[in-house]
Amino acid sequence: MISTKLVSRFFGNENARDLAWRLKNGGYEGARKALGMDPQEIVSEVITSNLRGLGGAGFPTGKKWTFVPRQSEKPKYLAVNADEAEPGTFKDRYILEWDPHRLIEGIIICCKAVGIHVAYIYIRGEYLNPYERLVAAVEDAYRQKLLGPDVMGSGFSLDVHVHRGAGAYICGEETALLESLEGKKGWPRLKPPFPALEGAFGCPTVINNVETISHLPEILLKGGKWFAELGVKNNGGTRLFAISGCVSNPGVYELPMGTTMRELIYEYAGGIKGGKALKGVIPGGTSSAVLTPDEIGTPLTFDALAALGSMAGSGAVIVLDEDICMVKALHNIESFFSHESCGQCTPCREGTGWVHKILSRIIEGNGQKSDLDTLNDFTVNMNGTSICALCEGAVMALKSFMFALKTGFTRMTRRPPALWAFLLL
């Protein structure tokens, strides 16, 4: 097994929350180096690193920063997305709970690179312990002049604010996050304009995920080339994978990009609980298409999973064993999307609701043969017809489960449960 721990280095170590201890153990050295560098030099290192956005979209981080105008009459902002609400996702919580100073250090680096002097951390409202620990870390950083008008005596000013959300999944979408941050209803915005030009308060804004920002200290200290070589082509470094479901050792594992699904499940997570057979794997949160057992040799990279018609998403791996009823699993997923739809777009508001109702009817034993055609129609009419990707996530799950039920999963079932047998007609 390869052991490469960067952002997870201090997970489980309560001392890491203490600023004095953190400073003695390499804390803020990457930020100190960045403060003495030319901003463009920092951006170049991040581009070289092949660091991708680790919140779901996987867009190259350094390239994303270049979309923000170098010179701007308006102030520029950083919004850190800590609204971790994708089902099965719990990796960012570990950073916030165990090593909040790593995130703050990454924020300093990002802001220096882009010329930002105000940053917001938008944190999920239900994350009480992470919120309290993050706020305490920010306060400690101010007391030690790691934040404020003269960061580490460099003359660079930076203020960081922690903003709690109200528990809406939709606010994990970047423009809905900005609307909520501004005190408005968390509804996604039409794009363009994109946040890099018109984001928070109508000003240029960088939006990055917690884990993405937390990788910056190592990149600055050891170089973008070093980080890139830890991973594979176009997918640099390591990634946190939150694995749950039917495995012996669920949890968060930091592994090099390019690690396969099979390695994660059987070498790190201890294999399928109880020695049962694998039926399927959701590779990147419930928005991603489910994979069948013959696809688990796939590397857990953005490109490899996209080639299969799925996605790496939030890094949330949910393992399903032979006893899982796939219709019940799909019903659970679609229930979530129906509940969390913000209601702004009709195809999403009505479509997710109808998908949930039809699946409920099937589970109750009242399914009709025409339901399959209706669900197929939904996968066409709902896809790409709404402002944000919530509707598309619901469609991806629906389409992939329906396809796999009729093909891949049938091989794993000794006796097809009557509950979903009609879907195999």
Side-chain angles (χ1 to χ4, degrees), residues 83 122-126 163-169 171 180:
D83 190 57
Y122 187 100
I123 187 170
R124 181 180 178 184
E126 293 89 343
H163 182 96
R164 294 183 74 187
Y169 169 67
C171 288
S180 178

Side-chain angles (χ1 to χ4, degrees), residues 50-80:
N50 287 330
L51 175 66
R52 306 276 288 262
L54 300 173
F59 196 84
T61 302
K63 184 176 181 180
K64 187 176 187 178
W65 292 357
T66 65
F67 296 155
V68 176
R70 179 59 56 187
Q71 301 296 328
S72 174
E73 294 181 358
K74 297 179 180 179
K76 293 181 279 189
Y77 297 104
L78 167 65
V80 179

